[in-house]
Amino acid sequence: MAAGTAASALPLASAKSKYPIVHHVFFWLKNPGSVEDRDKLVAGVKSLAKIETIKQIHVGIVASTEKRDVVDNSWGVSELMFFADLEGQKTYQDHPIHQEFIKNHSHLWEKVIVYDAVEA
Amino acid sequence: MAAGTAASALPLASAKSKYPIVHHVFFWLKNPGSVEDRDKLVAGVKSLAKIETIKQIHVGIVASTEKRDVVDNSWGVSELMFFADLEGQKTYQDHPIHQEFIKNHSHLWEKVIVYDAVEA
């Protein structure tokens, strides 16, 4: 069976080799109860997809998994991006679309945590 | 151009629709300076790929991106998994392979943070 087909139970190896830089961002909203603010930020993060060095983007909100001590569910919006290399990530950071996103949306969040990983 | 080809600048939509549950885990090592401990944990997390409800898995270490206030680079190993649904994530949590992983590797970490997201 070809790698990456929906029916395969194996993890998709292609994403590992091609896009090893994984950029995880979690935003805590200034108004955590505001679905309107949350949705504005979701739309803003989605607008970043136009940046050509972003190879995959996933925009999330808190999932209703089991509450456990290790699970942090205090954030509001998540951004997950895959890049081919560190240069691609740097291009994204400096890109006018990203700078415009920060200018137009940073009033919505009070805290951001970023985790930048490279596939092991 | 077909969605998901390497040359496409568009994000891969397939991962969103099929695997909307995103499980981010960050481990802080008890011995942060031990590459041996880090590599043991990396190997342990990779062993989880055998669990059939994990549709994609990415195991990471800290990337050498720019140091910025918002970037947390104090962790040691990251685990990123995609599931088709919440049931798949629950199956993973309770799976004997996962329980075995915890039993054999939990002495390596001093802190874990989990972020569970659903695609927005």
Side-chain angles (χ1 to χ4, degrees):
Chain A
M1 185 175 290
T5 59
S8 171
L10 293 171
L12 308 181
S14 60
K16 171 175 178 170
S17 47
K18 286 185 192 154
Y19 315 130
I21 304 297
V22 186
H23 180 64
H24 311 248
V25 184
F26 299 92
F27 297 94
W28 279 257
L29 294 168
K30 243 177 218 157
N31 302 311
S34 169
V35 173
E36 192 187 339
D37 280 13
R38 187 193 72 181
D39 290 350
K40 272 187 204 163
L41 185 51
V42 164
V45 176
K46 286 186 175 177
S47 77
L48 299 172
K50 290 190 290 287
I51 300 174
E52 66 278 2
T53 60
I54 301 172
K55 299 306 184 185
Q56 276 193 43
I57 181 169
H58 303 271
V59 188
I61 58 175
V62 177
S64 55
T65 51
E66 196 185 348
K67 305 293 170 261
R68 298 179 292 137
D69 282 351
V70 294
V71 178
D72 185 336
N73 58 11
S74 63
W75 51 281
V77 174
S78 62
E79 165 193 315
L80 172 64
M81 294 173 176
F82 290 77
F83 297 91
D85 48 36
L86 289 172
E87 290 68 30
Q89 207 266 2
K90 183 76 171 78
T91 298
Y92 155 72
Q93 289 295 342
D94 300 338
H95 200 286
I97 293 175
H98 184 216
Q99 295 302 318
E100 189 73 10
F101 160 78
I102 293 171
K103 199 179 84 183
N104 294 337
H105 296 85
S106 60
H107 67 281
L108 295 171
W109 65 74
E110 67 167 23
K111 188 175 84 165
V112 181
I113 296 184
V114 176
Y115 302 92
D116 281 328
V118 56
E119 296 245 3
Chain B
M1 186 175 288
T5 58
S8 171
L10 292 170
L12 308 181
S14 60
K16 172 174 176 170
S17 47
K18 286 183 192 157
Y19 314 131
I21 304 297
V22 185
H23 180 64
H24 311 248
V25 184
F26 299 92
F27 297 94
W28 279 256
L29 294 168
K30 243 177 218 156
N31 303 311
S34 170
V35 172
E36 192 187 339
D37 280 12
R38 186 195 72 182
D39 290 350
K40 271 186 203 161
L41 185 52
V42 164
V45 176
K46 285 185 176 178
S47 76
L48 299 171
K50 291 191 290 286
I51 299 173
E52 65 279 2
T53 60
I54 301 173
K55 300 306 184 185
Q56 277 193 42
I57 182 169
H58 303 270
V59 188
I61 58 175
V62 176
S64 54
T65 51
E66 195 185 348
K67 305 294 170 260
R68 297 179 294 137
D69 282 350
V70 294
V71 178
D72 185 336
N73 57 12
S74 64
W75 52 280
V77 175
S78 62
E79 165 193 315
L80 172 64
M81 293 173 176
F82 289 77
F83 297 92
D85 48 36
L86 289 172
E87 290 69 29
Q89 207 267 0
K90 183 76 170 77
T91 298
Y92 155 72
Q93 288 296 340
D94 300 338
H95 200 285
I97 294 175
H98 184 216
Q99 296 303 317
E100 189 74 9
F101 160 78
I102 293 171
K103 199 179 83 183
N104 294 337
H105 296 84
S106 60
H107 67 282
L108 296 172
W109 65 74
E110 67 166 22
K111 189 175 83 165
V112 181
I113 297 184
V114 177
Y115 302 91
D116 281 328
V118 57
E119 295 245 4

